[in-house]
Amino acid sequence: MTQENIAVYPPDLTLIECPEPTQESNDVEVIHLDDYRQTGLPAAAYTSAHYLQRERETVFSHYWVFVGLASDVPNPGDVLPAEVAGMPIALVRDRAGTLRAFHNICSHRGLQLVNAPCNVQGNLRCPYHSWTYKLDGQLKSTPHFGGYYQDSYDGFDRTAKGLKPIRCEQWLDLVFVNIAGDAPPLEEYLQPVIERWATYDLQQLRREPREVGLTCKANWKLAIENFSESYHLTWVHPALNSCSRMEDHFRFEVGDIHVGQGSLLYKSGVIEGRSLPTFANLEAHHKDTVAEYVTVFPNLMLGVHPDYFLVFSVNPLSHDTTRERMSFYFVGDAAMTPENQALRHLPIDLWQDTNDEDIEMIERLQQGRYSPRFDGGCFSPELEQAVYRFQQMVAQAIGE
């Protein structure tokens, strides 16, 4: 990103300093206590619409951003409206089965082209003036645009008025977009995660129909920060802490921009002596005990367990309102039988209860940032490294 792309940073949104980390092991980046005397992001990072606009121009434009699930647009002609930080996007499955992303606006007057999921039998048609587009984005017709019964006029360049494409790539069932088109290949971006979880055959995953979704009155970053630390488990999540205690958690490295933590204690759900299928080829102790969680910068949180996979995303609707979505995948066709539905719903129920407990804390964190005495807070050097690192990534992305 060149200096020309960066607007002058306002003085009231001071960035935190970025100390050089020291590497003391092959697995864990250790940031010393002195570094944690730095404050975190200022209150305006959570309460300012201007700050969110800067995030739209940088964080949500120049990085790979999770936008949806490919299985939501499974068939040729399927169209799904989506948003990235308020920017309207359309996911389109074209006639050849290729998944594409476009800015969800008509090239004529900027009308939102699609406002609900649909399957298009012919072409995408703007309901305002009936401009139509092929599913590959080409402009097909512009009725009366040159005058009554004249679809064109001399000098009108139809080829330049197609839908505006967005770079779009897929990993597993997860769809990512790169608005600015300047990120590295998605596989390279996700390589640390892919390598970390190479033991798991993620191709076995099958999507569960039931999801968890909600809207909370808090900035999107607070949801990410909450997911990235286990410090609060003892006091906020008594049920979760009884099966995966704060002290059972550990942190690990997943490249330069993603952060990870795991739990050494995980218990699969059991009903009448039955439990769900687990990933093959996991060592016995790993199969029974370990769960790991990765925050993929900026807006995606993933969790791998011996018997299921969690996809947890956030999307800012405004500077103080966030939409959360949790999707779940289980291991193999056998897990998806009607007989196993109750078993599949056990972890979903636990995540829903846990998230409900988190929401109150996140919304109160948001309220606290309206205090003139909030100074960025401070961080536990052992338990909140991931939060500090995530805030550093945001600060660097928008202004350094």
Side-chain angles (χ1 to χ4, degrees):
M1 187 162 45
T2 65
Q3 186 64 35
E4 288 76 18
N5 298 124
I6 301 295
V8 175
Y9 204 72
D12 61 325
L13 303 184
T14 306
L15 293 177
I16 52 183
E17 298 179 14
C18 301
E20 291 294 326
T22 58
Q23 194 73 21
E24 296 191 352
S25 76
N26 293 328
D27 296 320
V28 178
E29 178 188 341
V30 178
I31 304 177
H32 289 295
L33 181 60
D34 286 348
D35 301 327
Y36 280 80
R37 293 173 185 167
Q38 301 289 338
T39 58
L41 289 170
Y46 303 85
T47 62
S48 166
H50 173 77
Y51 201 104
L52 177 59
Q53 181 58 35
R54 293 294 298 124
E55 290 174 336
R56 287 192 183 106
E57 296 166 357
T58 54
V59 173
F60 289 100
S61 291
H62 292 280
Y63 292 82
W64 282 109
V65 178
F66 173 80
V67 71
L69 303 175
S71 53
D72 285 336
V73 279
N75 303 310
D78 283 348
V79 182
L80 178 71
E83 283 190 356
V84 169
M87 296 178 280
I89 289 170
L91 297 179
V92 178
R93 184 79 66 178
D94 70 15
R95 299 297 174 210
T98 300
L99 184 60
R100 300 175 182 270
F102 300 99
H103 290 279
N104 188 10
I105 56 171
C106 178
S107 297
H108 177 210
R109 297 274 296 281
L111 187 87
Q112 180 192 34
L113 196 60
V114 182
N115 65 356
C118 61
N119 183 273
V120 177
Q121 297 299 315
N123 300 292
L124 279 168
R125 187 183 70 85
C126 175
Y128 198 19
H129 298 96
S130 209
W131 281 35
T132 60
Y133 303 86
K134 297 181 180 180
L135 296 185
D136 63 3
Q138 295 182 65
L139 179 60
K140 180 176 175 60
S141 66
T142 56
H144 306 294
F145 188 58
Y148 293 122
Y149 305 105
Q150 299 180 38
D151 290 355
S152 187
Y153 59 85
D154 290 343
F156 176 62
D157 184 4
R158 186 183 300 274
T159 61
K161 293 298 182 181
L163 297 179
K164 303 302 183 288
I166 298 172
R167 189 177 173 200
C168 173
E169 294 187 26
Q170 180 179 340
W171 176 63
L172 302 176
D173 192 32
L174 284 61
V175 181
F176 297 78
V177 294
N178 173 221
I179 304 285
D182 56 358
L186 179 63
E187 185 172 353
E188 179 181 332
Y189 191 73
L190 297 177
Q191 193 60 35
V193 183
I194 295 170
E195 291 179 356
R196 178 77 191 186
W197 290 342
T199 306
Y200 298 87
D201 181 5
L202 301 179
Q203 299 302 321
Q204 299 180 55
L205 294 174
R206 304 292 183 267
R207 183 180 172 186
E208 160 67 27
R210 180 184 168 192
E211 290 192 339
V212 175
L214 56 87
T215 299
C216 65
K217 296 295 292 181
N219 186 271
W220 69 278
K221 293 185 291 296
L222 293 174
I224 298 286
E225 294 169 18
N226 178 78
F227 184 88
S228 301
E229 55 98 339
S230 55
Y231 189 13
H232 66 285
L233 293 187
T234 300
W235 302 280
V236 180
H237 305 306
L240 178 60
N241 195 62
S242 68
C243 61
S244 182
R245 301 170 303 169
M246 175 179 66
E247 54 266 42
D248 294 323
H249 286 72
F250 60 94
R251 62 184 184 274
F252 56 86
E253 288 299 297
V254 272
D256 296 331
I257 58 176
H258 315 307
V259 295
Q261 66 169 325
S263 174
L264 294 170
L265 186 62
Y266 172 77
K267 298 177 182 178
S268 297
V270 177
I271 297 178
E272 297 179 349
R274 296 186 301 109
S275 58
L276 289 169
T278 59
F279 287 102
N281 302 321
L282 296 182
E283 296 179 10
H285 74 280
H286 197 67
K287 178 181 292 189
D288 294 335
T289 61
V290 176
E292 290 190 349
Y293 306 93
V294 169
T295 299
V296 177
F297 190 82
N299 72 325
L300 177 64
M301 297 155 283
L302 303 175
V304 67
H305 310 75
D307 51 355
Y308 74 96
F309 188 76
L310 166 70
V311 177
F312 185 6
S313 64
V314 298
N315 182 38
L317 303 181
S318 68
H319 64 278
D320 62 356
T321 308
T322 299
R323 180 65 182 168
E324 299 185 358
R325 179 186 185 184
M326 280 190 275
S327 303
F328 300 84
Y329 296 77
F330 293 88
V331 183
D333 294 333
M336 305 309 297
T337 63
E339 294 77 15
N340 280 329
Q341 177 176 286
L343 282 166
R344 297 196 306 272
H345 286 189
L346 287 177
I348 299 176
D349 289 340
L350 178 61
W351 275 102
Q352 183 155 21
D353 291 343
T354 300
N355 207 43
D356 289 344
E357 293 164 346
D358 280 328
I359 290 301
E360 180 185 357
M361 297 299 105
I362 292 170
E363 292 184 340
R364 289 172 68 172
L365 283 167
Q366 180 71 24
Q367 288 302 308
R369 276 152 178 75
Y370 291 103
S371 168
R373 298 305 301 271
F374 178 74
D375 62 359
C378 56
F379 304 89
S380 164
E382 290 297 323
L383 303 178
E384 294 176 303
Q385 283 197 17
V387 177
Y388 182 74
R389 183 166 171 179
F390 170 73
Q391 292 192 12
Q392 292 282 312
M393 283 299 305
V394 172
Q396 292 174 25
I398 66 170
E400 291 190 337

